[in-house]
Amino acid sequence: SQQGEEDPQALSIQEGENATMNCSYKTSINNLQWYRQNSGRGLVHLILIRSNEREKHSGRLRVTLDTSKKSSSLLITASRAADTASYFCATDARSGGYQKVTFGTGTKLQVIP
Amino acid sequence: DGGITQSPKYLFRKEGQNVTLSCEQNLNHDAMYWYRQDPGQGLRLIYYSQIVNDFQKGDIAEGYSVSREKKESFPLTVTSAQKNPTAFYLCASSIGIDIANTEAFFGQGTRLTVV
């Protein structure tokens, strides 16, 4: 089963607007990451936030983490057409003594020029 | 250049055939993963490996097999037992052992089509 679920499933905004995507997860985590995927390509890592952090910035990206609500949000400010992609959250999880990364279902973002 | 390479980019398979997807990394990462992605959906974990000669089933391992004979290589075989193999397959690697640093690096994917 999926650990994380993104909301909304799809988002369409005008260039220059801000885009906010949310991720909810079920079990305790050590860290949470956000990835981007252009259509038909591999995923690219955007940002990692640890469980003891509440907010992190990277360029036009701002990520928040609320471990009490088991949720995270990704904000892209001043969006550009090139930001059009799918965005996934990913959480680490221990399973039978092993560590693995599990991904949510993604938010498909379209930025209209 | 360090990175993770998947080949081929496109693969066509006849029903009843086994096919092997290649994944190679030169990042010296211990952990490697195989994911399946269906159109408009998220990633589902097929198999993962933390160290050489060891691997674990993910959420949808039925009909797939893997090997990890070398640290840099983690090939995935899609067997004839996989009922619906047409999908986009993504390989990833991460440092792995340190659970606080699990940024995953992805290959560009292999699109498998059964004809």
Side-chain angles (χ1 to χ4, degrees):
Chain A
S1 63
Q2 297 288 346
Q3 161 75 315
E5 291 194 9
E6 288 88 343
D7 169 57
Q9 288 187 321
L11 180 61
S12 183
I13 60 173
Q14 295 289 329
E15 199 166 30
E17 293 180 339
N18 294 344
T20 300
M21 290 158 267
N22 302 297
C23 169
S24 59
Y25 57 91
K26 298 173 184 174
T27 61
S28 296
I29 59 170
N30 293 301
N31 59 58
L32 183 144
Q33 302 173 73
W34 285 91
Y35 286 82
R36 166 197 169 119
Q37 183 183 34
N38 284 30
S39 181
R41 306 297 296 271
L43 277 69
V44 175
H45 181 262
L46 295 176
I47 197 164
L48 180 152
I49 186 165
R50 305 197 189 286
S51 58
N52 61 354
E53 297 175 310
R54 292 295 168 259
E55 187 171 313
K56 203 161 183 179
H57 297 254
S58 176
R60 292 184 297 112
L61 306 180
R62 174 180 160 237
V63 168
T64 61
L65 179 64
D66 187 334
T67 54
S68 67
K69 295 181 180 178
K70 292 186 169 60
S71 68
S72 173
S73 67
L74 170 67
L75 168 68
I76 303 175
T77 60
S79 64
R80 304 167 182 169
D83 294 328
T84 294
S86 292
Y87 293 82
F88 296 88
C89 67
T91 54
D92 64 319
R94 302 286 291 187
S95 175
Y98 289 92
Q99 169 199 269
K100 60 177 183 177
V101 176
T102 56
F103 289 81
T105 52
T107 292
K108 192 168 186 177
L109 172 66
Q110 181 186 27
V111 180
I112 302 167
Chain B
D1 286 337
I4 181 165
T5 303
Q6 288 185 243
S7 62
K9 190 172 182 179
Y10 298 97
L11 189 56
F12 296 88
R13 189 195 91 174
K14 291 183 179 179
E15 283 193 27
Q17 283 184 337
N18 291 357
V19 64
T20 298
L21 283 59
S22 170
C23 180
E24 304 276 333
Q25 54 99 359
N26 60 4
L27 300 166
N28 200 33
H29 285 168
D30 287 296
M32 296 187 75
Y33 310 83
W34 273 106
Y35 292 91
R36 171 184 171 135
Q37 186 177 33
D38 292 284
Q41 297 195 23
L43 279 66
R44 291 184 291 168
L45 182 64
I46 305 172
Y47 267 98
Y48 62 103
S49 169
Q50 295 288 306
I51 55 174
V52 174
N53 292 323
D54 189 30
F55 48 82
Q56 299 295 315
K57 291 182 178 180
D59 301 317
I60 55 164
E62 186 176 351
Y64 299 98
S65 66
V66 294
S67 62
R68 187 85 187 276
E69 297 176 2
K70 298 185 295 183
K71 187 175 185 178
E72 58 270 23
S73 179
F74 191 39
L76 173 74
T77 296
V78 184
T79 74
S80 58
Q82 170 49 237
K83 302 299 182 191
N84 184 23
T86 294
F88 189 52
Y89 290 87
L90 286 162
C91 179
S93 70
S94 69
I95 294 174
I97 290 178
D98 183 351
I99 62 173
N101 292 292
T102 53
E103 174 184 349
F105 293 79
F106 281 81
Q108 290 302 301
T110 293
R111 189 167 299 281
L112 173 64
T113 304
V114 173
V115 297

